[in-house]
Amino acid sequence: MAIAPPRVLTVAGSDSGGGAGIQADLKTMLALGVHGMSVVCAVTAQNSLGVQGYWELPPEAVEAQLDSVLSDIGTQAVKTGMLASGALVEVVAARLARYPAPLVVDPVGVSKHGDRLLAEEAVDAVRHALLPVATVVTPNLWEVELLTGVKVESERDQRRAAEAVKEFGPEWVLVKGGHLSGSPVDLLYDGDEVHTYTAPRHDNRHTHGTGCTLASAIASRLALGDTVPEAVAAAKDYVTGALAAGFPLGSGIGPVDHGWRTRGR
């Protein structure tokens, strides 16, 4: 009888265009050799041009999905993405706080096209309910400013930003520097240790799904047994390849290529 691979659960929103959200998460998990499962929190109408609308699920539907998966199948890591509202953030945080698996939080606040995906009233719930139970939180520069008020304009500001996010209680903070000029540098911090990760910047506008993919890759590597610094390094390597192979889709911003390794790119 075959042995089941490690399991990873994504708790996020659906992207009808397939480039980000739960669709990107599950593709990433498959590419990295784990079994992906999903709890849908919101449904978006979304394509390469942007998000035309989104509809969140009732909290009881999200809680029922969580209970269904965790009570029977279980998981070795969890990744959260778009949670949409304060009520959903609190339901998810309360349930995951009782579950003994590493949690990677992608504090999704806005889409690649600038469309807001988190209600203003939900930001405080992310700060005080979700971040305290996170193993790793992976904010980009806009999300850092949303959560802490710290504006990152250079690599020197990343440590200060990580310290500000760390005050909310996550074990590790990964401040992503992809929106800075020059080579993208991500900074990982746990209150004592600092790790930096660099990668070449690729001249490719098709970057939809980058944040979802990175967080899912970190969760996948944690489920496979990596330490947090090892998981971030492996995830960064995977995402860099996916970014380099990103392809056009529709009339706007295309997705990263989750299957770049199998396509030989």
Side-chain angles (χ1 to χ4, degrees):
M1 181 182 295
I3 298 174
R7 292 144 286 154
V8 181
L9 175 65
T10 170
V11 183
S14 168
D15 173 4
S16 54
I22 278 175
Q23 287 81 357
D25 298 339
L26 294 176
K27 291 172 187 178
T28 299
M29 292 168 191
L30 180 63
L32 295 181
V34 300
H35 174 69
M37 304 166 292
S38 62
V39 168
V40 180
C41 294
V43 176
T44 69
Q46 186 172 172
N47 56 27
S48 70
L49 298 174
V51 179
Q52 289 78 47
Y54 74 81
W55 300 264
E56 63 194 66
L57 269 68
E60 57 268 27
V62 172
E63 189 169 27
Q65 291 176 79
L66 280 166
D67 287 341
S68 181
V69 173
L70 297 179
S71 66
D72 174 44
I73 302 170
T75 187
Q76 282 141 316
V78 182
K79 176 259 179 179
T80 64
M82 177 188 177
L83 300 180
S85 71
L88 291 183
V89 171
E90 290 175 2
V91 163
V92 169
R95 184 63 181 87
L96 295 181
R98 306 193 305 270
Y99 195 83
L103 169 60
V104 180
V105 172
D106 181 13
V108 175
V110 68
S111 77
K112 182 71 67 179
H113 303 85
D115 303 295
R116 193 171 182 118
L117 298 175
L118 184 70
E120 285 190 32
E121 47 82 20
V123 176
D124 205 49
V126 171
R127 291 188 191 109
H128 299 294
L130 191 59
L131 294 191
V133 300
T135 306
V136 190
V137 58
T138 64
N140 62 28
L141 304 187
W142 187 89
E143 290 155 354
V144 164
E145 188 172 359
L146 179 69
L147 291 168
T148 69
V150 175
K151 188 174 183 62
V152 179
E153 297 179 323
S154 70
E155 287 181 37
R156 292 190 301 274
D157 298 328
Q158 284 181 285
R159 171 68 179 265
R160 185 166 59 93
E163 290 171 345
V165 177
K166 183 74 174 69
E167 289 183 6
F168 293 112
E171 292 180 31
W172 293 84
V173 179
L174 180 68
V175 176
K176 298 179 292 190
H179 293 131
L180 293 173
S181 58
S183 296
V185 177
D186 298 343
L187 183 142
L188 179 68
Y189 176 71
D190 75 341
D192 295 308
E193 296 179 37
V194 175
H195 303 263
T196 56
Y197 305 84
T198 60
R201 186 178 296 280
H202 295 284
D203 185 19
N204 186 352
R205 68 187 292 262
H206 302 301
T207 58
H208 186 50
T210 310
C212 304
T213 299
L214 179 67
S216 294
I218 293 170
S220 298
R221 293 301 312 186
L222 290 174
L224 289 164
D226 284 359
T227 65
V228 170
E230 290 169 344
V232 173
K236 179 87 170 175
D237 180 66
Y238 171 71
V239 170
T240 299
L243 275 164
F247 53 84
L249 202 68
S251 304
I253 299 173
V256 301
D257 185 359
H258 299 94
W260 67 273
R261 284 176 173 163
T262 58
R263 284 189 253 279
R265 296 180 182 176

